[in-house]
């Protein structure tokens, strides 16, 4: 099997303005050659995607989206944006099933899977997010929760996809699981994917997300089975995000 190319993705969430898109060009300058060995991705709010794609033109920074409709064809769906539209304006990836959408918009595993399948059908690579809450971890249910999310949210029709392990309690704070805990969950996700998809599961990249910053990224990237990161706050500024990327062993 060829080694999986690391992916370091920034999720801007509902932050940023048009004026902040200059961070994309700054990021490209800061990461230099590293973007040849690492896929570098920025997912801004949907309205900024076309301008972000223009900013990234001629650089190796990829642009993605934070969500998409589960409906792959044009339809009467007021307020929704289809994966085909995202691909049309130059997005390459889309985040599906982020815990903020699972919690605030009551997205089910089944809906997340439909979104990921619509993404693949439209030529995008979905990043399917999974992760336990603090209460589920305290109850010793990490393996049960995460493996069932992976099984029920992963796209089933073939085509490249990515899984992001984002413990809900680690997002937007200062605490992360220990490196050993991250390694255990990544191994569990790999095992679950292999059970579901066989040998092709070895091609799926598994990212860690939740309070990744310039200070802890380097050690997280040394954990076996971690193929990169999904970064929130620290992806908004090119200075922080490039420090994370340059801290990856593949950047050397
Ligand atoms: P933070 O990096 O801000 O903790 O957010 C993580 C996240 O939710 C990325 O999708």
């Amino acid at each position: 099997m060829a080694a999986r190319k690391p992916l370091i993705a920034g999720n801007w969430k509902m932050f940023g303005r048009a004026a902040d898109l200059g961070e994309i060009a700054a990021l490209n300058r800061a990461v230099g050659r590293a973007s040849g060995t690492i896929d570098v991705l920025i997912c801004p709010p949907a309205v900024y995607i076309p301008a972000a794609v223009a900013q990234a033109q001629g650089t190796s920074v990829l642009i993605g989206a934070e969500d998409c409709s589960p409906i792959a064809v044009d339809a009467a769906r007021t307020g929704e944006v289809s994966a085909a539209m995202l691909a049309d304006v130059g997005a390459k990836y889309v985040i599906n099933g982020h815990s903020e959408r699972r919690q605030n918009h009551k997205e089910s595993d089944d809906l997340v899977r439909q979104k990921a399948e619509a993404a693949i059908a439209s030529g995008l690579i979905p990043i399917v997010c999974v992760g336990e809450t603090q209460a589920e971890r305290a109850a010793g249910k990490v393996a049960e929760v995460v493996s069932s999310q992976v099984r029920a949210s992963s796209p089933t029709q073939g085509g490249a996809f990515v899984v992001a392990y984002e413990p809900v309690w680690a997002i937007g704070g200062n605490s992360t699981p220990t490196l050993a805990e991250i390694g255990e969950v990544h191994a569990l996700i790999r095992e679950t994917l292999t059970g579901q998809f066989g040998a092709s599961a070895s091609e799926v990249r598994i990212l860690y997300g939740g309070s990744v910053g310039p200070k802890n990224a380097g050690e997280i990237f040394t954990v076996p089975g971690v193929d990169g990161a999904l970064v929130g706050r620290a992806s908004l500024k090119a200075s922080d995000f490039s420090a994370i990327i340059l801290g990856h062993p593949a950047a050397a």
Side-chain angles (χ1 to χ4, degrees):
M1 184 207 82
R4 291 180 293 271
K5 188 176 183 187
L7 168 63
I8 303 182
N11 172 11
W12 279 14
K13 308 192 179 185
M14 201 169 75
F15 294 104
R17 290 291 185 274
D20 297 306
L21 295 171
E23 295 295 319
I24 293 169
L27 176 68
N28 181 61
R29 285 193 298 276
V31 297
R33 283 184 306 124
S35 56
T37 50
I38 299 170
D39 283 335
V40 175
L41 172 68
I42 293 279
C43 301
V47 288
Y48 297 122
I49 291 174
V53 168
Q55 279 279 338
Q57 195 76 41
T59 79
S60 47
V61 177
L62 300 162
I63 302 299
E66 299 176 12
D67 184 34
C68 66
S69 170
I71 310 290
V73 293
D74 290 3
R77 287 285 175 134
T78 303
E80 288 198 28
V81 176
S82 70
M85 292 169 181
L86 297 169
D88 190 38
V89 296
K92 302 293 182 206
Y93 285 76
V94 59
I95 299 168
N96 290 132
H98 190 282
S99 62
E100 288 152 14
R101 294 206 61 86
R102 288 179 184 265
Q103 291 189 330
N104 300 326
H105 300 268
K106 307 283 178 277
E107 292 197 359
S108 64
D109 287 332
D110 194 47
L111 181 66
V112 174
R113 180 185 50 73
Q114 290 174 40
K115 289 183 173 198
E117 291 179 349
I120 291 177
S122 305
L124 299 180
I125 300 176
I127 301 175
V128 176
C129 301
V130 298
E132 81 287 355
T133 63
Q134 183 79 72
E136 289 163 343
R137 177 164 282 267
K141 290 189 171 160
V142 178
E144 186 188 319
V145 168
V146 172
S147 61
S148 103
Q149 286 179 335
V150 169
R151 273 194 298 271
S153 317
S154 294
T156 56
Q157 86 274 44
F161 69 101
V162 175
V163 173
Y165 170 53
E166 296 207 306
V168 178
W169 54 273
I171 293 174
N174 295 306
S175 53
T176 63
T178 65
L179 299 183
E181 287 166 342
I182 293 173
E184 276 166 28
V185 180
H186 277 242
L188 168 85
I189 293 172
R190 177 75 55 206
E191 196 185 300
T192 306
L193 290 169
T194 304
Q196 200 173 359
F197 299 105
S200 65
S202 66
E203 291 161 21
V204 177
R205 288 174 289 183
I206 305 175
L207 314 182
Y208 170 77
S211 296
V212 175
K215 289 205 173 72
N216 61 5
E219 59 179 17
I220 290 171
F221 292 142
T222 65
V223 176
V226 171
D227 300 314
L230 181 55
V231 182
R233 281 160 303 167
S235 70
L236 290 162
K237 290 278 166 236
S239 51
D240 287 337
F241 198 41
S242 62
I244 290 171
I245 293 160
L246 294 171
H248 194 288

